[in-house]
Amino acid sequence: MTHPILLLGFLIAAYFSGSQAKNPLLQYWEEHIGLPYPPHWLAAKASPLNPHQAAVFMKLMEENEFASHLRFFCMKANVACSTNAVVKSKTNDKTLPPVAQWNSVKLKYDIKYKETIPLSVASQGGLPYFRKSMVKEGGFMPIPDLREPMSYKSFLPQTLASKIPFSFAQIMELKKLFGVEDGSKMEKYIQDSLEVCEKKSIPGEQRTCVTSAEDLIDFVVKTLGHQVRVWSTDNIEGSYENVTIGTVKLVYGNLSESPALCHSLPFLFQVYYCHILLKVKVYAVDIHAQKNMNQVIMACHYDTSTWNPNHLAFKLLGSSPGLIEVCHWISENGLIWTKTLG
């Protein structure tokens, strides 16, 4: 058994031995992506664990002693290990309502009718789906909640993330490892995230869930190559507001080279659901909120022919697959990757 004092000494030594090491996310980024730096907020999600500390926690897992050091791990790794962690403050703006209910339905394109949710819940104070023609300079638009329920969590190092159970078949093992209680909000988040990750692809879709920054970069390079651009919404300004639309700029319109969309999932540590769908255009939209202007990234899907007729977008817009384009905002911590044109 690893004595707590010895463990603490080991981790302190590991800290000083790795404190001069370069941020692994930044190093992996420089080696694989043809851009100088990732978005600042994505770089901030790099695991605070250095390789030596990760090795200590992996050893604890192998020796079945991880549970007795769980709280220390959560603190050092900046991950969410309990129901209490999900109520951590997401924003300093206390004028906003509580973070909107996260529902995996919005990320499913083969949704069954029984899985649909009330439109009042789906709207979250604004429109989650809309037509491109509804976004006009000088017009008004109700914006949904752009916040993520668990925006603060970090990635785990790839070596450690690869050892974490990540499937419905292993959900009991996963819950036990992180001390997740039955019936808790965290359990629901885990279930919903795993359901999204294990859904079958619709025709023409490439999809995956990545559990580390390295896996995220590997997916981008595999599907789009090294020369890419990354787009993300600036901040959460405009959430729950009826904003004025400013400049609407097409930043990527090559329908023959589809971008990769990556959605942050509510999970114990940072996990992304990434997918590529046919014929997607990307826009940067200036919205004028009550306090400040925000640049929000908008994705518009111009081929919805393979989507399920019961998809939430068609319910909201009163249409059917293949008849209309469907647009949506990219929320906090969301990413769109595009090939560099030219």
Side-chain angles (χ1 to χ4, degrees):
M1 179 177 179
T2 307
H3 193 279
I5 300 298
L6 293 177
L7 172 67
L8 181 59
F10 192 6
L11 287 172
I12 290 174
Y15 172 79
F16 284 108
S17 63
S19 59
Q20 302 302 315
K22 192 169 186 177
N23 180 318
L25 190 156
L26 294 180
Q27 183 173 342
Y28 205 78
W29 179 280
E30 289 177 4
E31 292 170 355
H32 295 82
I33 299 294
L35 289 172
Y37 302 104
H40 65 91
W41 59 265
L42 182 62
K45 284 185 168 292
S47 175
L49 299 178
N50 63 45
H52 299 280
Q53 292 168 331
V56 171
F57 289 118
M58 286 177 62
K59 184 174 180 61
L60 290 172
M61 288 183 187
E62 293 169 358
E63 296 178 352
N64 294 319
E65 294 181 17
F66 184 74
S68 59
H69 303 286
L70 182 60
R71 289 191 64 180
F72 186 57
F73 169 77
C74 296
M75 178 184 68
K76 295 295 294 183
N78 189 40
V79 297
C81 298
S82 69
T83 305
N84 293 334
V86 303
V87 301
K88 187 178 286 190
S89 176
K90 325 301 187 298
T91 173
N92 293 326
D93 189 349
K94 303 303 180 184
T95 63
L96 289 175
V99 177
Q101 174 184 331
W102 190 88
N103 200 298
S104 59
V105 165
K106 292 187 293 180
L107 297 181
K108 299 174 186 174
Y109 295 83
D110 61 344
I111 183 173
K112 298 184 177 69
Y113 182 76
K114 67 179 182 179
E115 292 180 292
T116 55
I117 55 178
L119 300 188
S120 59
V121 174
S123 66
Q124 298 179 351
L127 296 175
Y129 296 105
F130 43 89
R131 303 288 305 275
K132 168 61 175 63
S133 59
M134 298 167 68
V135 186
K136 297 179 179 178
E137 186 170 357
F140 297 95
M141 190 83 172
I143 303 295
D145 196 349
L146 298 174
R147 295 171 295 174
E148 184 197 351
M150 297 167 62
S151 62
Y152 59 87
K153 60 192 182 303
S154 297
F155 284 108
L156 287 180
Q158 186 180 41
T159 53
L160 190 56
S162 64
K163 303 296 184 183
I164 304 295
F166 192 78
S167 69
F168 255 114
Q170 298 172 295
I171 194 167
M172 295 306 296
E173 184 181 348
L174 175 66
K175 286 171 55 181
K176 181 179 179 181
L177 185 65
F178 284 93
V180 177
E181 297 178 0
D182 293 342
S184 66
K185 183 178 289 187
M186 181 64 78
E187 182 190 44
K188 183 66 165 61
Y189 281 156
I190 290 171
Q191 291 173 342
D192 285 349
S193 295
L194 291 177
E195 186 176 357
V196 168
C197 291
E198 295 188 5
K199 274 284 183 182
K200 290 179 61 177
S201 302
I202 62 172
E205 179 188 27
Q206 300 178 63
R207 68 197 317 274
T208 189
C209 280
V210 295
T211 59
S212 70
E214 293 89 342
D215 288 341
L216 173 63
I217 293 171
D218 287 346
F219 172 77
V220 171
V221 171
K222 179 182 177 181
T223 54
L224 301 179
H226 298 276
Q227 301 304 315
V228 295
R229 287 200 63 175
V230 59
W231 308 90
S232 60
T233 292
D234 281 356
N235 54 65
I236 63 168
E237 289 286 345
S239 295
Y240 283 106
E241 291 185 29
N242 193 32
V243 305
T244 301
I245 301 297
T247 302
V248 180
K249 181 181 179 181
L250 176 67
V251 296
Y252 188 82
N254 187 350
L255 293 179
S256 64
E257 296 280 2
S258 296
L261 280 66
C262 292
H263 308 274
S264 182
L265 297 180
F267 202 73
L268 298 153
F269 47 90
Q270 184 61 57
V271 171
Y272 276 100
Y273 159 55
C274 296
H275 63 152
I276 296 177
L277 290 165
L278 300 176
K279 297 184 178 180
V280 178
K281 292 184 179 182
V282 184
Y283 299 82
V285 182
D286 291 339
I287 62 171
H288 297 275
Q290 292 178 8
K291 294 183 178 180
N292 298 296
M293 188 186 81
N294 187 10
Q295 186 173 84
V296 184
I297 300 302
M298 176 177 76
C300 290
H301 300 263
Y302 283 84
D303 182 357
T304 60
S305 60
T306 60
W307 295 19
N308 191 290
N310 291 309
H311 190 283
L312 181 59
F314 303 130
K315 297 296 182 182
L316 289 169
L317 300 172
S319 191
S320 301
L323 299 183
I324 61 170
E325 84 293 341
V326 172
C327 302
H328 61 84
W329 305 115
I330 299 301
S331 298
E332 181 182 30
N333 294 330
L335 296 161
I336 297 186
W337 306 79
T338 59
K339 283 190 174 183
T340 303
L341 298 177

